Structure formats: structure tokens, C-alpha cells
């Protein structure tokens, strides 16, 4: 049969070279057509006596990005539809059979009677890497850019095409669990060290090395198919096994709080699979995989962290018909920590940077931040000395605003003060070339008001970076009342150029991310005032899925900054300020000088040596202290997560947010909202709008009107609507 995705060539020695090169795609991904073609190739190799073995490689720069998750997402929807028409049992059976097709194909390849070698020429992830694991031998090309791994847990899944079962038989179970649960992407040398790759050779010798192995091993079998095979870590019920699985279970609980079904499934598949023969273990893996596919957590995470994320990164919100902007040089005014870090990520993307501050000394300090950041990468072996020199050569540190004249984009990143920003805007625009877009890096100040200082508000836009800039992947783009499409398109093009993810929001105080994070911090502060033990607030926040508790996050943001924001908010909207929070922050900052991590004194103490610890003096700020045994942990979780989801719904209703995908992606990438929920709006959909509204009404009666559901939520609850059902991309496209 003719192949679209593969090319099959057999040499004079009878070795088939299978080259995977899907047309029209930058990366090879696994879909139904790929599965069908590869299955036919495996059968051809197995049945053709002239073929002695096979080598599979890629015709692209990378080997494979893995499975097309939209296919798996569709299987979840198909199950729901099938369950309604044929019943849940028939639906579960159909899903099981469909979801294990790839696993069965890989097992057929592994047992077809001919040797298979994988010539891994570049990155191989997920189902693509599982394919190489099913081969009898793996050779990787020397390439610093190559990454190998099984990152499925990051989107709510686990390796279900045999990868979990094979890895658990290739290394001791403790090492296998760590690799599978973390979903790390490995460099080829590390993959070889832990025996996931058998050899690493120069790229020019890759295919030859793989073919040579096939010729030398005509009767190759997987280790677990050979007589006398023994598990690397010994039997499960052994001294070594008992030293692995009980502590692994404890670590799993500590790290996930049982919020992630896929992680639990990995634990089960490895434990149960090592007790039985290989083919039975594969069937166990497939049953768990089908179960996880049906979980709301997997559905939400796949949708947000794969489908929506890809759509946003590909320009889902970019205005149509505007030519792509090219950036040779970007001006950054303000060489403090934020501005310097923006300069670093810009220069790291290959763009020249003009870094300006009030004098040469401060500008040079800003450039030194880039020197330190790239120096850290060099020390870790992630960059070379030549990379460092080239990056620093792209950054010009100066106090001369005249250097902005040749810049294609200018971003101010000065102190979060309207007067300071206004003066900076006036000075910068006097030096800028006509038609250049101006971006303001602000987390709270309304863009429309700042744009009044700019002579062409249509070219003024908010570009809000998150700290630390070099690690945080989200950039919040804020559209003012007069911002034009050309400015929006340029901002989106810039964010894409520096390899970050943009979300677009409309102007308001706090925009989206800062506004929602503010509710999380406030809830923690109010809980402290109610007498809930500080440790309980922090621990339950992590149990709920947040990366850090609200008290620790306040310290990171800076307690005095939270105090300044509260006072600024009080001037404009006094009704939005809770007097209990105001009293707490005043006591922390003005009475006790506790400013947060930056002065080693906040809600936590930060000793020079050792870990941070909650400040014992917090007890003095609590009028009463509640008995922790009388406190409902579930209620605390919903207060902390629910208040963020509720504020997101308000942002959506007020048109600050206009796309459910950006709400969810922004909440996870911007402030770490419980990833297992898929984001703030997915959290509401997962609970059900009616049930969510009922919870909010209960909390409103107990804790006040901040929990009162909005008009939109009440309407959606009455109709049984969900955010994705009513406002999702499919509905937007239909409209």
C-alpha cells in the first residue's frame, strides 16, 4: 500500500529503513492514519522473508512529538456520547478497545520476529518515545537540543502505549516511578545513563549504527521476552520492594495530595504490572489508561494545557489582516530587576536590546542581571561561553533616551507609580521613531489612564510580565480603550518571538491576573484574622492544588507592595477594601516593619541559613484562635479556590476577559491555579455551575457578600450552562 506518513526502503542486506515524515507538519505526531500505516509496515516487515529487520527514524529535525492529544480528547467526548446511547458498560468497553490500539501495535512490533532499532535523530516525546522503547535497540544522535521523555502527566495523562510497563522493567521501580511521575525530558546522555537509550553516536553515523546492530542481532527479543529475565529491582514482595513502594506512596501523597488521577494510575500500573507477566501488565496499563481518559481532570488538563495552549500560542487572538511585525531591536526603559529580566529574555531570543536607566551605573547593573542569568546557564551546561558572549553583545546599556530612535518596540518597566511612569512615557516618546508601539509593563495601573501621556493612544498597550521573567511563561497583554489592532498584533508577535504565551485582556484595575490573585491573598489574610492557624491556611492551600499558600505568596510579592496596592485601591474604590485586611497589613508593615522576603521578615521568617518558618508573632495579630479540629478543611479549600474562580467569572462578565481559553491558561501559567482543575473557569465547569453557585451562596451567608455569585453565574446555573458549552471556541466559531 502507498504510504503518506512513512517511506520504506530496503537495502542490499535486507534491512528496512522506515522514515517517518508526515507531510505538511513541522513535527511527526501520532494520529489514526499514522497508526494504520505503521501497522501495515510492521506486518510487511514481519511477513516479507527478504526483510531481515528494520530501523525506524524521522525525516524531520525531531523524531516525534507524540500522540495528537486532540484525538484522545475526542475519545473522551465519544465515551460520553456512547454512554448516553449504548450505556456506560458498552461505552467503557469501546473506549478501552480504541485507546489501546497503539499499545497493541507497539507490542506487535516488539514480537513480530524481526529485530527493530530506533535511530533517534532528535526530540522524541510521549507516544513517539514509547515507540522507541518498543524497539529492541535505541541509538540516539549526539544533539544538545534533543529531549527524550514521557511528559504525559503534565497534561493529566500517563504513558499508556506500553511506556509505563516497559520503563518499569528497564530500571529499578523507584527510578522508574520518579521518571514517570515527574514527566522530565532528558538529554540523550542522561537517557543513556539510565539505560533508556543504548548508544549515542554522531548524527552522521546514526542510521548506520542502527542498521549494524540489526544485522548483528537477527534474533533479538525484548529482555522481558527472554528466558530467565529478572526484574531490575527484584520482586515486588521482597526487601527491596518493601523499601520502594510504601515510601513511594508517601511521597506521591505529599507531592500531589491525591489531586491527580494519572499519578495514582502510574503507581497502580507499576505496582500491579510487576506482579504479572508482561502482556497481562500491558492490559492492566490499558485499563487504567481508559479510566484516566474518562476522568474530568484529564479532560480539563488536556483541553487547557494542550489544545487551548497550542491555539493561543499559534495566534488565536491575533487580529487578522495585519502583517507580522519583525523585531531587530527593542528598547526597554527601566533597568531594575523586571526591566533587566525582560531585556534578558529578549536578547536570549536573538533580538538586540537597548536597556535604559537614569544613569550609566544603573543601566550597567541592569545588564549585569543578564550576565548572571546566562552565566548560570553556562555553569549548568545549558549554554556555551560563545552563547553568553553573543547574548551580552546584543544588549546596549545606556542612560541616553536617544538610543530608542532605531527601536521597533519600546517597553517601559519603571516603578509602579503613575507619576514615574508618566514622566518616563513622555521622555521616551520624544526619542521614538514614528509609528512604533509603546508597551507598559504594569501589573495594576489602568492602561487607558497611562496612555493619556502618549501622543497616539492607538499605539499604546499593556505588556505585563510575571516575575521571575526568565521562568514565567505567561505575558498578559492589556488592551486600553483606544489601543489599536496594529498595537495588539505587534505585542502578540513580540511575545511569540520571545517564546512566551500571551493572553489578551481588556483594561481595568488589576486586569485579570493581579485582580484574581488579590482575592486569593485577601482570603488568606481574612482567614488569619478569623483565628485559623497560619500553618493550616498554608497547608490546605497546597492541598487544594496551589503552588504556595497565600501568606507565603504575599511575602514573595512583598507585604509592603500589597499594602500600597490596598491604599491605592481605597482611594479609587473604598468599598472594595476590607477593613480587616487593611488592619492586618498596616500592623505588618507600619507597626512591625515586616515587608516580606525582601527584608527577611514577613508572614514568614527567612534566616540566612535554613528554611523559612512561619513567624511566631502572627499569633499576636489574631484576636481569637480557632481549634483546628473544628475547622472544615473542605470549606477552606473552596474558599481559596472558589474565590479565584468567582472573580474570574466576574472578569468574564465585565468583559475584562473575553475568551475562556485565556482565562484558564492564564490562571495556571500566571498564578498556578490548581492545574488538575484545568483553570479557574474549568473548575466551575468541573463542579457544575449549579453546584458552584450553591457553594458560593452558602459561603456568602457565612462570610459575606464577596462570595455572592454574579448575575451571569446565577443565569447559567438556572439554565444548566457551562462556560465551555456557552462560550467555548466551538460556540465562538459558530457565532
Amino acid at each position: 500500500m502507498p504510504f503518506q506518513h512513512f517511506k520504506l526502503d530496503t537495502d542490499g542486506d535486507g534491512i528496512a529503513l522506515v522514515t517517518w515524515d508526515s507531510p505538511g507538519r513541522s513535527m511527526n505526531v501520532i494520529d489514526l492514519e499514522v497508526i494504520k500505516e505503521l501497522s501495515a509496515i510492521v506486518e510487511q516487515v514481519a511477513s516479507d522473508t527478504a526483510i531481515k529487520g528494520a530501523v525506524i527514524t524521522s525525516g524531520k529535525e525531531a523524531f516525534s512529538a507524540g500522540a495528537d492529544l486532540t484525538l484522545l480528547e475526542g475519545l473522551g467526548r465519544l465515551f460520553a456520547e456512547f454512554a448516553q446511547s449504548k450505556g456506560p458498560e458498552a461505552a467503557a468497553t469501546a473506549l478501552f478497545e480504541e485507546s489501546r490500539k497503539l499499545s497493541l501495535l507497539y507490542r506487535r512490533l516488539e514480537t513480530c520476529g524481526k529485530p527493530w532499532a530506533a535511530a533517534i535523530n532528535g526530540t522524541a516525546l510521549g507516544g513517539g518515545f514509547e515507540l522507541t522503547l518498543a524497539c529492541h535497540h535505541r541509538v540516539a544522535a549526539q544533539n544538545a537540543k534533543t529531549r527524550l521523555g514521557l511528559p504525559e502527566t503534565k497534561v493529566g495523562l500517563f504513558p499508556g502505549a506500553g511506556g509505563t510497563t516497559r520503563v518499569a522493567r528497564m530500571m529499578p521501580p523507584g527510578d522508574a516511578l520518579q521518571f514517570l511521575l515527574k514527566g522530565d525530558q532528558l538529554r540523550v546522555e542522561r537517557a543513556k545513563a539510565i539505560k533508556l537509550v543504548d548508544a549515542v553516536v554522531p548524527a552522521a553515523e546514526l542510521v548506520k549504527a542502527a542498521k549494524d546492530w540489526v544485522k548483528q542481532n537477527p534474533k533479538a527479543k525484548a529482555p522481558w521476552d527472554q528466558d530467565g529475565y529478572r526484574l531490575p529491582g527484584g520482586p515486588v514482595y521482597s526487601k527491596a520492594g518493601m523499601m520502594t513502594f510504601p515510601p513511594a506512596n508517601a511521597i506521591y501523597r505529599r507531592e500531589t495530595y491525591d489531586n491527580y488521577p494519572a499519578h495514582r494510575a502510574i503507581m497502580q500500573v507499576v505496582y500491579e504490572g510487576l506482579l504479572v507477566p508482561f502482556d497481562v501488565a500491558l492490559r492492566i496499563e490499558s485499563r487504567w489508561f481508559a479510566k484516566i481518559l474518562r476522568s474530568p481532570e484529564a479532560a480539563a488538563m488536556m483541553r487547557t494545557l494542550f489544545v487551548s495552549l497550542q491555539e493561543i500560542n499559534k495566534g488565536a487572538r491575533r487580529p487578522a489582516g495585519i502583517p507580522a511585525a519583525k523585531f531587530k531591536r527593542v528598547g526597554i526603559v527601566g533597568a531594575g530587576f523586571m526591566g533587566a529580566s525582560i531585556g534578558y529574555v529578549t536578547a536570549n531570543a536573538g533580538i538586540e536590546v537597548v536597556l535604559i536607566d537614569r544613569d550609566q551605573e544603573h543601566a550597567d547593573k541592569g545588564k549585569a542581571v543578564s550576565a548572571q542569568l546566562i552565566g548560570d546557564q553556562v555553569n549548568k551546561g545549558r549554554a556555551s561561553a560563545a552563547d553568553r558572549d553573543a547574548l551580552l553583545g546584543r544588549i546596549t546599556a545606556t542612560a541616553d533616551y536617544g538610543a530608542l530612535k532605531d527601536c521597533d518596540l519600546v517597553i517601559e518597566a519603571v516603578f509602579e507609580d503613575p507619576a514615574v511612569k508618566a514622566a518616563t512615557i513622555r521622555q521616551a516618546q520624544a526619542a521614538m521613531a514614528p509609528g512604533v508601539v509603546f508597551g507598559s509593563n504594569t501589573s495594576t495601573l489602568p492602561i487607558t489612564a497611562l496612555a493619556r501621556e502618549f501622543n497616539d493612544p492607538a499605539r499604546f498597550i499593556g505588556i505585563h510580565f510575571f516575575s521571575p521573567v526568565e521562568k514565567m511563561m505567561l505575558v498578559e497583554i492589556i488592551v486600553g480603550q483606544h489601543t489599536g489592532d496594529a498595537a495588539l498584533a505587534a505585542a502578540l508577535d513580540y511575545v511569540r518571538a520571545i517564546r512566551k504565551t500571551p493572553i489578551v485582556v481588556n483594561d481595568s484595575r488589576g486586569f485579570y491576573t493581579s485582580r484574581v490573585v488579590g482575592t486569593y491573598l485577601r482570603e488568606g489574610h481574612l482567614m488569619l484574622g478569623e483565628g485559623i492557624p497560619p500553618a493550616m491556611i498554608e497547608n490546605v492551600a497546597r492541598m487544594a492544588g496551589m503552588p504556595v499558600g497565600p501568606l507565603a505568596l504575599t511575602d514573595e510579592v512583598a507585604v509592603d507592595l500589597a499594602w500600597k496596592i490596598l491604599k491605592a485601591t481605597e482611594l479609587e474604590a473604598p468599598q472594595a477594601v476590607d477593613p480587616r485586611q487593611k488592619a492586618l497589613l498596616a500592623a505588618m508593615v507600619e507597626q512591625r516593619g515586616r515587608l516580606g522576603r525582601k527584608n527577611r521578615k514577613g508572614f514568614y521568617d527567612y534566616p540566612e541559613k535554613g528554611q523559612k518558618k512561619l513567624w511566631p508573632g502572627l499569633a499576636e495579630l489574631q484576636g481569637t484562635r480557632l481549634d483546628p479540629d473544628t475547622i472544615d478543611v473542605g470549606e477552606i479549600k473552596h474558599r481559596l479556590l472558589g474565590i479565584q474562580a468567582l472573580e474570574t467569572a466576574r472578569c468574564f462578565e465585565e468583559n475584562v476577559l473575553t475568551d475562556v481559553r485565556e482565562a484558564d491558561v492564564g490562571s495556571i501559567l500566571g498564578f498556578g491555579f490548581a492545574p488538575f482543575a484545568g483553570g479557574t473557569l474549568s473548575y466551575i465547569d468541573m463542579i457544575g455551575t449549579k453546584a458552584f453557585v450553591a457553594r458560593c451562596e452558602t459561603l456568602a451567608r457565612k462570610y459575606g457578600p464577596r462570595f455572592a455569585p454574579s448575575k451571569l453565574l446565577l443565569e447559567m446555573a438556572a439554565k444548566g450552562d457551562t462556560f465551555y458549552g456557552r462560550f467555548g471556541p466551538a460556540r465562538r466559531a459558530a457565532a
Side-chain angles (χ1 to χ4, degrees):
M1 63 175 286
F3 301 117
Q4 295 294 321
H5 297 275
F6 296 92
K7 183 180 179 183
L8 180 61
D9 294 304
T10 304
D11 64 17
D13 294 319
I15 309 302
L17 178 63
V18 181
T19 305
W20 186 1
D21 194 359
S22 293
R25 284 181 162 168
S26 59
M27 295 275 279
N28 292 321
V29 297
I30 300 165
D31 58 18
L32 289 176
E33 282 301 314
V34 167
I35 293 173
K36 181 180 177 181
E37 288 190 15
L38 183 57
S39 180
I41 289 171
V42 170
E43 294 307 323
Q44 184 172 337
V45 169
S47 61
D48 190 339
T49 55
I51 297 178
K52 308 303 180 185
V55 170
I56 186 164
T57 191
S58 168
K60 301 186 186 296
E61 183 178 345
F63 184 84
S64 171
D68 181 356
L69 291 191
T70 56
L71 173 66
L72 297 179
E73 189 190 32
L75 284 177
R77 291 195 301 270
L78 181 65
F79 169 80
E81 295 169 3
F82 209 69
Q84 285 188 338
S85 60
K86 301 285 183 71
E89 186 173 337
T93 300
L95 181 65
F96 171 68
E97 296 299 339
E98 284 296 315
S99 65
R100 72 189 302 238
K101 282 183 175 179
L102 194 59
S103 179
L104 292 174
L105 168 58
Y106 289 173
R107 183 57 173 157
R108 172 62 179 144
L109 179 153
E110 191 173 51
T111 59
C112 74
K114 305 282 181 72
W116 279 77
I120 308 170
N121 59 301
T123 292
L125 301 174
F129 190 51
E130 286 181 285
L131 170 58
T132 72
L133 295 177
C135 293
H136 304 99
H137 189 72
R138 287 160 296 285
V139 186
Q142 291 174 343
N143 186 340
K145 295 181 180 179
T146 294
R147 296 294 181 270
L148 308 175
L150 300 170
E152 285 89 339
T153 56
K154 298 183 186 301
V155 290
L157 297 172
F158 74 95
T164 303
T165 298
R166 289 186 176 88
V167 167
R169 282 167 166 73
M170 296 173 77
M171 61 180 77
D175 296 337
L177 286 170
Q178 184 176 26
F179 173 66
L180 293 165
L181 290 167
K182 291 176 70 176
D184 283 346
Q185 298 179 22
L186 309 176
R187 295 171 183 268
V188 291
E189 293 81 6
R190 177 59 183 158
K192 183 176 183 294
I194 62 175
K195 299 183 173 19
L196 291 177
V197 164
D198 298 301
V200 178
V201 300
E205 302 172 16
L206 178 66
V207 172
K208 180 181 183 301
K211 283 188 172 185
D212 287 347
W213 185 90
V214 170
K215 284 187 284 187
Q216 295 162 13
N217 294 272
K219 298 184 182 299
K221 289 184 178 181
W224 36 88
D225 290 325
Q226 298 175 18
D227 293 337
Y229 168 73
R230 294 191 177 188
L231 297 172
V236 171
Y237 290 110
S238 66
K239 184 181 292 185
M242 290 304 101
M243 292 176 66
T244 297
F245 288 100
N249 189 55
I251 294 169
Y252 152 75
R253 293 278 180 172
R254 183 192 69 194
E255 296 297 322
T256 70
Y257 295 100
D258 212 18
N259 285 323
Y260 295 87
H263 289 70
R264 172 186 276 271
I266 289 172
M267 298 287 292
Q268 294 285 160
V269 170
V270 172
Y271 176 77
E272 294 172 11
L274 292 176
L275 294 171
V276 297
F278 187 81
D279 286 299
V280 179
L282 282 180
R283 191 172 182 85
I284 289 171
E285 179 186 294
S286 293
R287 289 203 177 281
W288 275 101
F289 188 70
K291 178 181 175 65
I292 295 306
L293 270 180
R294 303 198 307 269
S295 71
E297 292 85 355
M301 290 179 73
M302 275 194 290
R303 181 176 63 198
T304 298
L305 295 174
F306 180 77
V307 179
S308 294
L309 187 62
Q310 276 201 338
E311 291 170 350
I312 289 171
N313 283 334
K314 289 179 179 179
R317 292 299 309 281
R318 193 183 188 280
I322 298 175
K326 304 294 183 183
F327 303 97
K328 180 181 179 183
R329 181 174 299 150
V330 170
I332 298 168
V333 184
F337 184 71
M338 284 298 291
S341 299
I342 296 169
Y344 169 74
V345 298
T346 304
N348 200 38
I351 301 170
E352 294 178 16
V353 172
V354 173
L355 189 61
I356 295 177
D357 212 302
R358 62 179 181 268
D359 54 45
Q360 190 63 45
E361 179 183 359
H362 284 86
D364 289 339
K365 284 182 179 179
K367 184 173 180 177
V369 170
S370 287
Q372 180 180 344
L373 290 171
I374 189 62
D376 290 342
Q377 296 299 302
V378 173
N379 293 338
K380 293 174 182 177
R382 297 173 182 170
S384 65
D387 294 331
R388 176 196 60 209
D389 295 343
L391 183 144
L392 294 176
R394 287 192 287 270
I395 302 175
T396 300
T398 180
D400 180 13
Y401 275 74
L404 296 176
K405 68 178 186 302
D406 296 325
C407 291
D408 307 304
L409 172 72
V410 175
I411 300 171
E412 67 81 9
V414 299
F415 188 67
E416 195 83 344
D417 180 282
V420 175
K421 286 189 179 290
T424 301
I425 292 166
R426 289 192 296 269
Q427 195 168 358
Q429 72 176 337
M432 292 167 55
V436 171
V437 171
F438 188 95
S440 175
N441 175 55
T442 175
S443 58
T444 59
L445 299 177
I447 291 299
T448 302
L450 292 175
R452 294 181 189 130
E453 301 296 333
F454 200 70
N455 54 20
D456 184 1
R459 292 188 287 113
F460 194 98
I461 195 165
I463 305 179
H464 173 207
F465 286 86
F466 295 76
S467 182
V469 176
E470 68 277 7
K471 294 181 180 179
M472 298 294 283
M473 293 308 300
L474 188 75
V475 177
E476 187 177 33
I477 295 176
I478 306 102
V479 176
Q481 289 180 8
H482 306 292
T483 301
D485 281 353
L488 174 58
L492 288 168
D493 291 342
Y494 165 68
V495 172
R496 186 174 185 180
I498 61 173
R499 298 183 287 274
K500 293 192 180 292
T501 296
I503 61 169
V504 180
V505 304
N506 288 320
D507 195 17
S508 73
R509 174 165 284 279
F511 318 125
Y512 165 47
T513 55
S514 297
R515 176 171 162 179
V516 174
V517 167
T519 66
Y520 176 61
L521 301 183
R522 179 186 64 196
E523 205 60 31
H525 301 161
L526 296 181
M527 286 178 178
L528 186 68
E530 292 165 14
I532 297 177
M536 191 172 192
I537 297 169
E538 298 290 89
N539 290 333
V540 174
R542 291 192 293 271
M543 289 170 62
M546 296 301 294
V548 295
L551 306 182
L553 184 56
T554 307
D555 279 359
E556 296 295 334
V557 171
V559 186
D560 61 328
L561 178 58
W563 174 232
K564 289 174 183 175
I565 292 172
L566 184 144
K567 289 191 293 183
T569 302
E570 188 175 37
L571 290 174
E572 291 193 13
Q575 74 282 358
V577 172
D578 192 303
R580 296 167 295 175
Q581 184 187 27
K582 179 181 178 181
L584 173 66
L585 293 179
M588 289 285 290
V589 175
E590 298 193 343
Q591 297 172 23
R592 291 168 174 81
R594 302 193 68 86
L595 310 183
R597 179 183 278 276
K598 66 182 181 181
N599 79 333
R600 298 186 180 276
K601 298 187 300 182
F603 289 97
Y604 286 76
D605 282 324
Y606 299 87
E608 289 191 14
K609 294 183 179 180
Q611 294 184 336
K612 68 182 182 183
K613 294 182 180 180
L614 280 162
W615 176 45
L618 290 176
E620 302 171 10
L621 303 179
Q622 293 182 296
T624 59
R625 293 191 224 174
L626 300 178
D627 179 354
D629 291 334
T630 66
I631 299 171
D632 184 343
V633 170
E635 182 179 89
I636 295 178
K637 286 183 180 180
H638 187 66
R639 285 177 66 179
L640 292 170
L641 296 185
I643 197 69
Q644 297 179 73
L646 185 57
E647 193 66 19
T648 301
R650 292 184 183 125
C651 286
F652 201 85
E653 185 171 3
E654 295 168 16
N655 205 44
V656 174
L657 286 164
T658 59
D659 192 313
V660 291
R661 296 171 296 184
E662 292 178 317
D664 279 345
V665 169
S667 66
I668 294 177
L669 297 189
F671 47 91
F673 184 87
F676 69 87
T680 44
L681 293 185
S682 283
Y683 176 74
I684 297 174
D685 281 0
M686 186 182 291
I687 293 172
T689 314
K690 187 174 182 179
F692 180 80
V693 164
R695 287 188 191 182
C696 289
E697 289 174 335
T698 298
L699 292 175
R701 287 191 294 270
K702 190 171 181 179
Y703 296 105
R706 67 183 182 278
F707 282 105
S710 64
K711 180 181 177 182
L712 175 62
L713 280 171
L714 291 170
E715 178 192 324
M716 290 175 64
K719 294 181 178 180
D721 283 343
T722 63
F723 276 96
Y724 277 85
R726 181 166 171 174
F727 303 107
R731 292 295 295 270
R732 289 167 64 99

